[in-house]
């Protein structure tokens, strides 16, 4: 079959690799209906060294084969897979923290397949895959695909941030996760939602997803703008969906005393201010993290199925595997918000 | 009257200062029945420069005078004051975050009196003071005095940490706040409570307050010991009651994935690790902060009054003002856990 490999910085190639097959009794093989390029793929895309890496960690597909111990999905089922696989049975999985499953792992690492490919071997198919009613060619596929990562991650940010009826929320970042953080906060009943982003087409979509205000300024100026919109106080919740140190600093500046910063942008820094001058005296909570999206699928599915929400609108480019190198380039150049891949 | 001033490192003096009097209509003057030396006083004690500073921020006393707008306390009332004063009427005070009151402040700063003195002018007496039933010479005074700061702060740590029935908790630090963090966690129903501390007399008191295990080791060795007691995972909640960077690192090591670090030791660092290697991938929350102890007094009082808990046991030395310089020295040398001052 054909799969996407990253050979080095900006060097995306589609190559022939061995067809996946069931190796363990709990495996499934899934033919990929739709995959996508993630904002987080852009970090290795800019800097990858070493052996070529299988790419892609979000996919919807149809089950093609299952090992003898797989009981919850069967050949022909439409399924969505989260961005990490997990056994579904350990203490952490049972608590819903599938990202901390000791047997879990990430697509494209070790012997795990990447999702930007024609098919994928899925470890722990019962724990990992989530079965979806409906036909494989459903027009809901883009929205279903967001359950893999970006919608579930936006929801995680809002849930961990403690968004509830009437909460005031700032969302930092107009990428897919930030925009779906807006959508998720709106679903959870947030009142004021201030979206910080500079790309008009994206922030316009953010308004459609529920943002009440948009702040295009960044840094200290952006923080001042948020404070001006919030009686000088900042918002009770700040969703940080970028991952850079300046975005963190912006979150610290935009959060209200006693409020919560919920991070879902993968931090590109290790140390940052958390002392008396930033979090401590103001009793600001810092939360968020890698989103256990598998655990949110059941909760998020109904509003996708009935069309109440359309998180799939974050996809603005669709390509096949032949066009995927172009897709990476467009996302890296911020010409595309998120690229859907139909292998 | 006589009051305690810090003139420079290790230079504590008791001097004559003007008697406090009602300056604003919302002030009260309180004659101090009992004050104390706080672990946090030891930071300036070691390093103070500049003008002499009035010391002390915890006190129980008897109201001596009130301004015309004071309605909730009257001459002769026994009262306890929190470690910060606050107006009691602003948005933050109404939410219980009295430490973020825009009109509030700390004892000993600006024109505010210190509590290690014969009397104190109390701004915003209605918002600040908490009236206590019973006589001024009550044998409960030491326990009532802990409502000012250390008991309320331990409770804040446990509440913000999300301690609930059956929680597993590590408490880092065997000072008064750490020990009362143990007590508070026990009151909130924690199951396993691991106290990390090296002073036998203190950790023995910690066991009486509810610690189920004591770990005397520090650093990586201490973290390993906590993990050995928790099936390799760490505890769901870690209360960090020291404030040093090594204590924070220990908290990161001792917390379970998906768990919460609740800090109440005033951080002596500004930057620390919070990225993918420490908090993010494990979905560890960081919370806590300056404790709004005024807001907890009503909730914590009943068990003090009926003797269910005896937080005043953290006082192991009692002195008058003449002995307070010695008291500071004993605490700094860790010969005393906490010094009670009866002016």
């Amino acid at each position: 079959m054909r799969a996407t490999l990253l050979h080095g910085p900006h060097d995306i190639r589609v190559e022939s690799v061995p067809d996946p097959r069931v190796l363990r009794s709990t495996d499934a093989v899934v033919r990929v209906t739709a995959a996508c390029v993630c904002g987080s793929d852009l970090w290795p895309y800019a800097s990858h060294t070493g052996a070529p890496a299988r790419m892609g960690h979000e996919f919807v597909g149809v089950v093609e084969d299952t090992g003898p111990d797989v009981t919850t999905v069967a050949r022909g089922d439409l399924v969505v897979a989260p961005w990490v696989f997990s056994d579904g049975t350990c203490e952490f999985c049972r608590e819903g923290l599938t990202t901390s499953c000791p047997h879990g792992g990430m697509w494209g690492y070790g012997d795990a397949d990447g999702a930007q490919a024609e098919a994928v071997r899925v470890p722990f198919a019962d724990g990992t895959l989530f079965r979806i009613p409906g036909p494989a060619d459903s027009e809901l596929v883009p929205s279903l695909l967001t359950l893999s990562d970006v919608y579930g991650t936006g929801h995680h940010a809002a849930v961990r941030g403690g968004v509830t009826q009437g909460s005031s929320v700032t969302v930092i970042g107009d990428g897919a996760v930030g925009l779906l953080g807006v959508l998720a906060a709106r679903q959870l009943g947030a009142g004021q939602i201030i979206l910080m982003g500079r790309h008009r087409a994206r922030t316009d979509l953010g308004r459609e997803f529920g943002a009440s205000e948009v702040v295009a300024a960044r840094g200290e100026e952006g923080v001042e703008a948020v404070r001006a919109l919030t009686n000088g106080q900042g918002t009770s919740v700040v969703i940080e969906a970028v991952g850079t140190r300046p975005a963190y600093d912006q979150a610290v500046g935009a959060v209200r005393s006693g409020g919560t910063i919920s991070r879902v942008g993968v931090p590109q820094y290790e140390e940052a201010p958390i002392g008396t001058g930033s979090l401590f005296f103001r009793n600001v909570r810092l939360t968020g993290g890698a989103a256990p999206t598998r655990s949110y699928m059941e909760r998020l599915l109904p509003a996708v199925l009935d069309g109440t929400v359309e998180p799939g609108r974050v996809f603005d480019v669709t390509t096949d595997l032949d066009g995927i190198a172009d897709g990476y380039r467009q996302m890296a150049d911020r010409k595309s918000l998120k690229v859907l891949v139909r292998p």
Side-chain angles (χ1 to χ4, degrees), chain A:
Chain A
M1 69 154 182
R2 300 172 77 216
T4 304
L5 287 99
L6 177 63
H7 282 258
H10 308 104
D11 186 3
I12 287 284
R13 303 182 202 172
V14 176
E15 298 177 356
S16 268
V17 300
D19 285 338
R21 56 192 182 81
V22 167
L23 298 180
R24 298 186 192 91
S25 62
T26 52
D27 285 352
V29 170
V30 173
R31 180 135 313 256
V32 175
T33 304
C36 49
V37 182
C38 184
S40 68
D41 289 336
L42 299 179
W43 299 112
Y45 179 70
S47 61
H48 180 75
T49 56
R54 292 279 193 99
M55 297 300 289
H57 54 255
E58 301 149 278
F59 62 103
V60 166
V62 176
V63 176
E64 205 167 68
D65 194 12
T66 55
D69 291 335
V70 175
T71 61
T72 60
V73 295
R75 183 180 171 85
D77 283 347
L78 182 65
V79 291
V80 57
W83 67 277
V84 285
F85 55 83
S86 55
D87 65 19
T89 57
C90 73
E91 195 176 340
F92 287 103
C93 284
R94 291 198 312 271
E95 291 171 18
L97 198 66
T98 51
T99 47
S100 288
C101 172
H103 305 115
M106 289 177 67
W107 307 109
Y109 288 79
D111 68 347
D113 292 331
Q116 293 160 5
E118 291 178 333
V120 174
R121 180 183 68 85
V122 176
F124 307 110
D126 283 339
T128 302
L129 296 173
F130 181 70
R131 201 166 67 81
I132 290 166
D137 60 352
S138 161
E139 60 183 17
L140 293 176
V141 162
S143 285
L144 295 169
L145 179 57
T146 65
L147 296 172
S148 262
D149 186 345
V150 285
Y151 181 26
T153 295
H155 180 71
H156 184 59
V159 167
R160 284 280 166 141
V163 174
T164 181
Q165 203 63 39
S167 297
S168 62
V169 181
T170 299
V171 177
I172 298 174
D174 58 12
V177 171
L179 298 181
L180 292 172
V182 169
L183 180 71
R186 177 59 63 211
Q187 278 187 293
L188 291 170
Q192 184 177 32
I193 301 177
I194 303 170
L195 172 60
M196 303 189 79
R198 303 194 302 169
H199 288 67
R200 182 63 188 270
R202 301 179 183 192
T203 57
D204 282 351
L205 181 55
R207 285 185 194 272
E208 292 188 55
F209 281 165
S212 48
E213 286 111 348
V214 169
V215 166
R218 287 181 171 185
E220 200 44 54
E221 196 190 341
V223 166
E224 287 310 312
V226 170
R227 293 192 168 262
L229 291 168
T230 54
N231 197 22
Q233 295 185 347
T235 54
S236 302
V237 183
V238 177
I239 292 175
E240 199 288 83
V242 178
T244 60
R245 214 359 245 289
Y248 174 77
D249 294 339
Q250 218 163 283
V252 171
V255 70
R256 184 172 182 275
S257 293
T260 302
I261 297 170
S262 185
R263 294 182 300 168
V264 284
V266 180
Q268 302 302 307
Y269 53 86
E270 187 58 40
E271 300 221 344
I274 59 170
T276 53
S278 47
L279 308 186
F280 188 85
F281 276 141
R282 298 198 298 138
N283 274 280
V284 170
R285 294 178 195 81
L286 179 64
T287 183
T293 57
R294 176 64 180 81
S295 306
Y296 297 130
M297 290 179 180
E298 193 152 358
R299 173 185 324 178
L300 297 178
L301 182 66
V304 171
L305 288 182
D306 70 16
T308 307
V309 295
E310 294 180 277
R313 294 181 66 196
V314 295
F315 295 107
D316 57 354
V317 168
T318 299
T319 182
D320 57 14
L321 280 175
D322 290 330
I324 196 166
D326 265 347
Y328 269 85
R329 203 170 304 124
Q330 288 177 73
M331 276 186 64
D333 294 344
R334 295 185 66 98
K335 286 179 186 157
S336 164
L337 171 55
K338 194 165 175 72
V339 173
L340 184 81
V341 183
R342 295 209 182 249

